[in-house]
Amino acid sequence: MTKRVVKVIDLVPGRAVQLAAIDNQAIDHERFWRDHVCAQQPIVIRHAVTNWPAFRKWGTPGYLEALANRQVGVSDTFNASPAGVWYQNLPKYGLDEAIACLRNAGPDDTFAIRALPIPQEWKADLGSYDFLHANRDLPPRAYARDRLFIYRNASTEWHYHTTDETLTTQIIGRKRVSMFRLSKEDWHAYAVPIKSNLHHMDERARFFPEDASLTKFEATLEPGDVLYIPPFWWHGVDPADTGFGITLAHCFRTPFNRLGSLSDPAVKDVIRAQGSLMLALRMRAFVALGSLTRIVNP
Ligand SMILES: [Fe+2]
């Protein structure tokens, strides 16, 4: 049977424009915080982690395999969203064996070790982010602090985060990223078909607005680059090569006064999805309090 590598970015119709990018040397703490985190504007920071030992060391076959071992699940599909129970039930392999398998796989094989906590022995090879002040790099509210994605040809399905700020840190391999923000007007036209997986159908075009007017902000991450992803920005990720790759997702806490607005369609969607009335009311109160803080402290 012919293997098929699934790519997700181009399954959602739109007009691609260049996502803003800046060199690590050209952005300081204040600018990153004011113009991007508080303004919820994504950006690619080039050469942000090229000084981390991982950038030099992790591509060498045998290096990571010798550092630590544990059991991990290995998927042979792209990273679907949400992951679902099937992902937790994957057969488990030693991490050393799994990494060696991914390094040696063929150019049309798809493999993913998803959301792996950083093994203790690997941590010495990671550093910090020059553009993020340590006082603001606080533990996230919902997501894990750090998740590693070790992959070959594994795209990540279109999704958004409801809270927490993400720094997608490309350590090995190249990735194409695409992002968009929906408004009240176009939320249903895009969110509904994507959440229903209709974008994966051959005749996908008929499920989306005909004018394809959605603006998609796109960039290619090179090893050492970081993509800042604010909450509620939809994003899809496709590997831009067929090789072995490693991405680290580092999350930090969304400032309280930027927790979203009750009139935002993305926030409404999240509140609607809460499992109970109590949880929905709690989330409404949390967002309302955040909005109030924003008025007092814009
Ligand atoms: Fe994400």
Side-chain angles (χ1 to χ4, degrees), residues 125-144:
D125 289 342
L126 302 173
S128 56
Y129 301 91
D130 295 341
F131 54 85
L132 177 60
H133 196 284
N135 292 345
R136 286 166 168 163
D137 187 10
L138 298 174
R141 291 188 175 88
Y143 286 83

Side-chain angles (χ1 to χ4, degrees), residues 7-13 78-82 155-160 177-180 194-195 197 199-200 214 216-218 233-238:
K7 302 280 188 186
V8 302
I9 289 178
D10 293 331
L11 301 184
V12 174
F78 68 104
N79 296 309
S81 185
S155 292
T156 296
E157 180 62 284
W158 284 101
H159 68 286
Y160 62 89
V177 295
S178 181
M179 307 182 69
F180 58 81
I194 295 171
K195 288 187 175 186
N197 286 321
H199 56 307
H200 283 274
L214 180 70
K216 295 164 74 182
F217 295 86
E218 301 195 351
W233 275 79
W234 285 82
H235 49 286
V237 184
D238 288 334

Side-chain angles (χ1 to χ4, degrees), residues 98-210:
I99 291 176
C101 164
L102 266 66
R103 286 197 204 270
N104 297 324
D108 56 355
D109 284 327
T110 297
F111 286 117
I113 302 169
R114 180 175 176 161
L116 177 73
I118 305 170
Q120 192 58 38
E121 293 82 351
W122 298 17
K123 289 186 178 173
D125 289 342
L126 302 173
S128 56
Y129 301 91
D130 295 341
F131 54 85
L132 177 60
H133 196 284
N135 292 345
R136 286 166 168 163
D137 187 10
L138 298 174
R141 291 188 175 88
Y143 286 83
R145 187 91 159 123
D146 292 293
R147 288 166 293 148
L148 284 168
F149 293 80
I150 305 174
Y151 65 89
R152 191 149 188 143
N153 286 322
S155 292
T156 296
E157 180 62 284
W158 284 101
H159 68 286
Y160 62 89
H161 308 154
T162 52
T163 184
D164 296 329
E165 315 294 315
T166 305
L167 298 175
T168 296
T169 308
Q170 193 59 20
I171 297 176
I172 298 175
R174 300 167 66 238
K175 272 185 167 172
R176 182 179 166 214
V177 295
S178 181
M179 307 182 69
F180 58 81
R181 184 84 161 92
L182 296 177
S183 66
K184 262 183 224 166
E185 287 68 36
D186 56 9
W187 178 264
H188 286 284
Y190 287 92
V192 172
I194 295 171
K195 288 187 175 186
S196 309
N197 286 321
L198 294 174
H199 56 307
H200 283 274
M201 296 186 71
D202 287 342
E203 67 274 34
R204 65 187 70 89
R206 71 185 171 95
F207 302 109
F208 290 97
E210 274 177 22

